[in-house]
């Protein structure tokens, strides 16, 4: 009797171990394996990579969005940086005159010489030959200074109309403020020169 009981216990233990091993194998089924449901008795394929594919899709979409955002930020920074450099360059041209102002001044001087007769007074000759040319130079310098001012202001106020939370680079603000300062100085000097308050044409008397 004891022997049968022991054998029965061993048989039951073997069966339990086999069932437990089967349960473990069913739980850790490989991708693509076929399992049998308890309710319907039908076999259904196991897709273990479904959730991973979904996560990969979300990660891919997130990566593309971040890349697009980075590209927009780079493009925006490049445009603002170029505008800041242009404003500074225009401010320098307004102070130096530039070749356009030089050519326009020489042209005005030539026109004054052609229009002024040799019998005209000295004051008239000075005004027609040198005064008008000086005013032309001041006019072109003022136009360059005004362009520098407008460009610098546009660059400085651009972040207010862009994406919120996207700061402007420090070097862009520095160059834009430099262009703004040069534009203000150039415009002030142009007004003084054009109004004869600075370096006026000498009088004949």
């Amino acid at each position: 009797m004891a022997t049968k009981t022991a054998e029965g216990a061993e048989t039951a233990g073997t069966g339990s171990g086999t069932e437990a091993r089967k349960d473990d194998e069913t739980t850790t089924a490989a991708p693509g394996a076929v399992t049998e449901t308890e309710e319907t008795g039908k076999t259904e394929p196991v897709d273990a990579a479904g959730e991973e594919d979904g996560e990969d899709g979300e990660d891919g979409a997130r990566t593309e969005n971040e890349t697009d955002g980075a590209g927009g930020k780079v493009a925006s920074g490049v445009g603002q940086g170029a505008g800041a450099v242009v404003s500074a360059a225009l401010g320098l041209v307004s102070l130096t005159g530039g070749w356009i102002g030089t050519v326009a001044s020489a042209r005005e001087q030539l026109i004054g010489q052609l229009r002024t007769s040799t019998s005209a007074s000295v004051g008239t000759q000075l005004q027609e030959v040198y005064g008008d040319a000086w005013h032309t130079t001041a006019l072109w310098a003022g136009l360059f200074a005004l362009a520098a001012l407008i460009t610098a202001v546009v660059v400085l106020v651009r972040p207010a109309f862009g994406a919120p939370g996207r700061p402007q680079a420090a070097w862009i603000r520095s160059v834009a403020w430099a262009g703004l300062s040069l534009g203000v100085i150039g415009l002030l000097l142009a007004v003084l020169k054009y109004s004869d308050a600075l370096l006026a044409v000498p009088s004949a008397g």
Side-chain angles (χ1 to χ4, degrees):
M1 297 296 289
T3 303
K4 292 182 179 180
T5 303
E7 290 177 357
E10 289 177 0
T11 303
T14 304
S16 300
T18 304
E19 291 177 358
R21 188 162 51 252
K22 287 182 179 180
D23 293 338
D24 293 339
E25 291 176 358
T26 303
T27 304
T28 58
V34 177
T35 58
E36 181 177 359
T37 60
E38 295 179 358
E39 297 179 358
T40 61
K42 297 181 180 179
T43 58
E44 295 179 358
V46 177
D47 189 5
E51 295 180 359
E52 294 180 0
D53 293 339
E55 293 177 358
D56 292 339
E58 293 178 359
D59 292 339
R62 192 181 303 112
T63 304
E64 290 179 359
N65 293 333
E66 291 176 359
T67 304
D68 294 339
K73 182 177 181 180
V74 170
S76 179
V78 169
Q80 295 177 24
V85 173
V86 168
S87 67
L90 291 173
L92 289 175
V93 172
S94 68
L95 295 179
T96 60
W99 66 271
I100 296 180
T102 302
V103 172
S105 176
R107 181 177 180 274
E108 190 65 28
Q109 185 176 2
L110 180 60
I111 292 174
Q113 291 176 353
L114 294 175
R115 291 179 177 178
T116 305
S117 61
T118 56
S119 59
S121 62
V122 177
T124 302
Q125 292 180 4
L126 288 174
Q127 182 61 36
E128 293 292 333
V129 176
Y130 299 103
D132 293 344
W134 181 247
H135 290 166
T136 302
T137 303
L139 178 62
W140 279 100
L143 292 177
F144 280 113
L146 185 60
L149 278 174
I150 295 175
T151 306
V153 170
V154 170
V155 172
L156 291 174
V157 302
R158 177 63 180 84
F161 300 95
R166 181 176 296 175
Q168 192 177 49
W171 71 270
I172 295 178
R173 293 196 301 270
S174 300
V175 177
W177 277 110
L180 182 65
S181 302
L182 292 174
V184 170
I185 296 173
L187 186 61
L188 178 61
L189 292 177
V191 171
L192 293 176
K193 288 186 293 185
Y194 193 85
S195 61
D196 292 333
L198 180 64
L199 299 177
V201 178
S203 61

